[in-house]
Amino acid sequence: MASGIAVIAVLVCLLAFFIVDNGGTDEGPIVNPANSIILQVDSSRYIELTDDFTTGELNAYLNNSGELIIYLDGAIADGYESYVWVLRDDLSNTYKTATKTEPEAKWTEPDVGLFAIMAYCYAHESDDKAAATYYGGMTYYGDKTLNYAWDYGGERVSVSSVLTRDDIERYRSGTAAQDSLRHGEALADAVRFITPGGSIGSLQKSLRSAFDSSYGYSDAAYADFLLSFVRECFDYAPDAKNYGVEQYRAFPVETLLAGSGDSEDLCVLYASLLQSAGMGCGILGLPDYCMVAVAVQMKAPRDVSDGFVFKEFSRGGSRYVAADPLVGPSLGLMRDCFGFDLIRGVYTYYGERYTGDYGLAVAR
């Protein structure tokens, strides 16, 4: 779906020496571990190591060339003939593997993100099953330059911004949100993850600069431009893929880091950009889906693509139009499989009426 390029979404070459891709294990990422050790890269960057790194079974250090050397404790490594090393990027769910005869791996170009290292030890090279396995979590903290490019209005748009280490630390921490909010499903709580400041505010300014240089401004036109950015530069991904659990509400900073999200995560990102731009908005909760309500006035387009309808409505004296961050030709259009009437509290999906916690939660 995403035709834009988000550099953070996929690390093309995770390890220079990892040349064989044999898939990997299915364990979920370690989020906010209680026990860890710190490997300082420089004054502004550091690596947090968890799990078997904290026991000494796995070890790591940075050499003079800035390469991260990962190795098994000598006493543990004795008696094995070969080792399969696996590096997993937990936020893009990609794997790189290499089979080696020594209990050491080298990460030549470590980068900001959330990773895991697995070492599978084989007593004999011909064995099908590992005699022992070791696991370590790695979170690399630092400023991350984000580069995006996508097509809008017949022109190529390029935008760069910086995701700061402070924001990554703040929103990935265990205190950023209570578990009941992180993993809950109450619609009213979704808007609490809309955070327009910091790195999101800086990104919005870069987007506004790119928009102003090529297009005439109106709130509706800029809201449509921001919508195209989210649609084109971020892929859909379920929470289970990005965060290892079925339900996880991500702050927009986390979605920038992951480069993807489910409909709720992408709605929160889009709403945060809108709020940063000074526009009112809210989250529309629909059966198994979310959209954004954008407080702008606009006319229905003359030509509406098949399968879509124009949707506008009022709430609390404000006029809103619907915005789907996943699919649709433009702002105000949503798929005709959805239907809702906020006044009567009627919600349908393919004509089937639903009751429950659906409606509009307005961002404050």
Side-chain angles (χ1 to χ4, degrees):
M1 176 189 65
S3 61
I5 301 171
V7 167
I8 67 167
V10 178
L11 300 179
V12 177
C13 296
L14 293 175
L15 292 181
F17 79 95
F18 277 161
I19 57 176
V20 181
D21 193 344
N22 294 325
T25 57
D26 294 325
E27 300 98 337
I30 303 298
V31 179
N32 303 318
N35 300 309
S36 64
I37 59 176
I38 300 300
L39 187 62
Q40 198 72 36
V41 179
D42 54 33
S43 60
S44 62
R45 295 177 297 167
Y46 65 92
I47 299 171
E48 183 180 40
L49 303 169
T50 63
D51 302 285
D52 290 341
F53 284 111
T54 65
T55 65
E57 295 167 312
L58 281 173
N59 298 274
Y61 69 92
L62 289 163
N63 65 17
N64 292 333
S65 299
E67 299 166 327
L68 181 64
I69 309 301
I70 304 162
Y71 62 97
L72 282 166
D73 177 78
I76 291 175
D78 287 344
Y80 300 113
E81 288 188 359
S82 65
Y83 309 86
V84 175
W85 293 89
V86 179
L87 178 79
R88 183 181 70 214
D89 182 339
D90 280 333
L91 292 177
S92 67
N93 200 33
T94 55
Y95 304 82
K96 295 293 179 179
T97 71
T99 300
K100 308 189 75 175
T101 57
E102 60 270 14
E104 180 179 292
K106 182 190 297 183
W107 190 2
T108 59
E109 295 180 357
D111 201 358
V112 174
L114 188 63
F115 308 94
I117 189 81
M118 282 79 77
Y120 298 90
C121 307
Y122 292 83
H124 306 284
E125 290 189 41
S126 58
D127 290 349
D128 293 328
K129 185 177 181 180
T133 302
Y134 298 93
Y135 175 96
M138 298 187 296
T139 304
Y140 193 124
Y141 290 97
D143 291 350
K144 180 77 174 178
T145 300
L146 311 175
N147 298 300
Y148 303 100
W150 77 104
D151 293 324
Y152 180 76
E155 296 185 15
R156 192 67 173 168
V157 182
S158 297
V159 170
S160 295
S161 189
V162 174
L163 178 59
T164 67
R165 186 196 78 178
D166 289 346
D167 274 352
I168 295 173
E169 288 179 324
R170 177 182 178 184
Y171 292 109
R172 291 291 298 169
S173 73
T175 59
Q178 297 175 351
D179 285 348
S180 59
L181 299 179
R182 278 285 198 193
H183 308 296
E185 297 184 358
L187 176 61
D189 292 334
V191 295
R192 300 175 69 169
F193 287 78
I194 297 174
T195 46
S199 298
I200 298 299
S202 297
L203 174 59
Q204 187 275 134
K205 290 178 181 178
S206 296
L207 289 163
R208 178 62 186 272
S209 178
F211 178 83
D212 287 345
S213 66
S214 301
Y215 309 99
Y217 185 82
S218 71
D219 281 352
Y222 186 47
D224 185 66
F225 177 80
L226 293 177
L227 181 61
S228 76
F229 164 71
V230 174
R231 281 179 179 164
E232 298 298 324
C233 294
F234 294 85
D235 287 312
Y236 171 82
D239 290 335
K241 175 184 176 182
N242 278 353
Y243 304 105
V245 293
E246 289 301 315
Q247 170 63 9
Y248 182 92
R249 283 194 169 115
F251 285 101
V253 162
E254 295 177 285
T255 302
L256 293 186
L257 187 62
S260 60
D262 64 7
S263 66
E264 186 178 52
D265 297 336
L266 297 180
C267 281
V268 168
L269 171 60
Y270 179 48
S272 297
L273 292 169
L274 289 170
Q275 200 170 68
S276 177
M279 285 183 258
C281 58
I283 302 294
L284 279 167
L286 299 170
D288 299 317
Y289 203 74
C290 288
M291 290 189 225
V292 176
V294 187
V296 296
Q297 295 189 13
M298 60 178 292
K299 295 181 180 179
R302 292 183 179 181
D303 297 319
V304 177
S305 302
D306 290 342
F308 292 87
V309 294
F310 179 73
K311 185 65 176 179
E312 62 178 345
F313 51 94
S314 298
R315 170 62 67 88
S318 296
R319 297 289 296 172
Y320 295 91
V321 296
D324 188 332
L326 285 173
V327 294
S330 61
L331 180 69
L333 299 180
M334 69 179 197
R335 287 176 288 171
D336 60 10
C337 59
F338 291 103
F340 61 89
D341 183 334
L342 294 182
I343 296 176
R344 293 186 296 169
V346 176
Y347 309 94
T348 60
Y349 184 57
Y350 284 106
E352 181 178 352
R353 185 168 176 172
Y354 283 76
T355 59
D357 187 20
Y358 305 120
L360 172 63
V362 177
R364 302 299 180 185

